[in-house]
Amino acid sequence: MLLKNIPNKQVMKKLAFLFFLFTVILLPVNAQKKEVLHFIVESGTFQRINTPVSLNIETITKSDTLSFQLYEKTNGQMVEKPFQIESGYTPLLWMILDGTTNAGVKREFFLYINELKESQNAITADVESESIILKKGESEILHYRKEILYPPPGVDSSYKRSGFIHPFFTPSGNVLTRVSPPDHYHHVGIWNPWTKVRIGDHVTDFWNLYEKQGTVRFAGINSIISGPVYGGFSVKQNHIDFQGAKPEELAINEVWEVRAWNSEPLTGLNAYMVDLTTFLSVAGKSPLVFEAYRYGGGIGIRANEEWTKDNSKVLTSEDKTRIDADGTRARWADLNGIFNGKGESGIAFFSHPLNREHPEPMRVWPIDANNGRGDVYFEFCPIRYKEWTLYPGQLYSLKYRMVVYDGKIDKKTADRLWNDFAFPPVVTLIKK
């Protein structure tokens, strides 16, 4: 009986071959899936809805042939989550804390090293001849204009300009921005030139282009990024002084970093969330001064021509409206209006608490602007009441978030969005 239970030689060979496959091929692959980080994300004192979260991963060595996998432990199950690595001086892992996470809640995550695999890019940045276009899927979010835009025929060509955002779309396709309006040809979508800049023994206006004292130009692409968590770009912008010793002199180096998130930050409404950070440095060897003025720098928007006093509203974090918001300070401002036959849409601007003069002063056009039409113009203006001196060898920054949506939001929602921006969830490392 014992002899009958012994496998024949052919069966033994098959078993040996299978064992070889398991030990030589399968085990090394599985061995590659190695836990490298175990961490907790805490919502803190605020409710979170689809919030970007980052984790410093500079202690982890990344191979060209291996990649990472991120899992959340939920009800005893391991659920894989999308993530994205941001390379830089300090490498970061970015993810979206998806869904609704109530205040005081902790969520548990594990990062593994595993075999290399491709991820789907939810947010893409495409470089075209005139613009850089950010998209979510097939839907365009915004265009950053890198080629010179000239004013309409017959208008002084000194109004030509590059280095601004237009068009900026809502998810339904409504266009929020406007360029070269006949009342202010120098207005170009979303932009941020400085108005009175003291450079040595003269003052240059980079805002009012018709003065022919200076301008701002797109000067090159630093990087283009597409990914499952965010997509965006980094670009150089030169502030050119026409009043120096030479016909054109570089006065200010500027870098725009623009990032669109693969996030749905509003419950029940379609929305895009975009961050814009501007970095400034002095190009010359002497300090320069942004003189105090009601226009200049920060971030500004000239809204679509459909918005007037009859169909648009402004609300700030301090409950100010178009009637009394101008010159006041705020953490955020929400602009909302109706598009003919296309419903209601809006854009909310959020100032980061580390910004100069935060809560920031604002320039908000009065309700009777432009001979009573009531066109919409808004700007966070960090030099409205106090001049700002920039020194050579130093880097200065201002950071803003924009949430573009269809429908309307209330003050409670805007406060939650600002809390997400200002005080993101806390990440606690359990194990390296």
Side-chain angles (χ1 to χ4, degrees), residues 38-42 55 426-431:
H38 176 198
F39 60 95
I40 301 294
V41 178
E42 302 178 59
L55 171 66
V426 175
V427 178
T428 303
L429 198 60
I430 303 300
K431 173 185 175 184

Side-chain angles (χ1 to χ4, degrees), residues 154-174:
V155 177
D156 190 336
S157 64
S158 63
Y159 285 107
K160 64 182 183 292
R161 183 65 154 77
S162 61
F164 57 87
I165 291 173
H166 174 79
F168 201 155
F169 300 96
T170 72
S172 69
N174 288 333

Side-chain angles (χ1 to χ4, degrees), residues 124-167:
T124 56
D126 298 330
V127 180
E128 304 292 346
S129 59
E130 295 182 341
S131 303
I132 302 171
I133 302 174
L134 293 189
K135 295 180 181 179
K136 185 173 185 179
E138 295 301 316
S139 299
E140 294 185 357
I141 301 172
L142 61 83
H143 291 207
Y144 169 82
R145 181 81 182 198
K146 62 186 183 68
E147 290 298 308
I148 294 290
L149 176 71
Y150 284 84
V155 177
D156 190 336
S157 64
S158 63
Y159 285 107
K160 64 182 183 292
R161 183 65 154 77
S162 61
F164 57 87
I165 291 173
H166 174 79

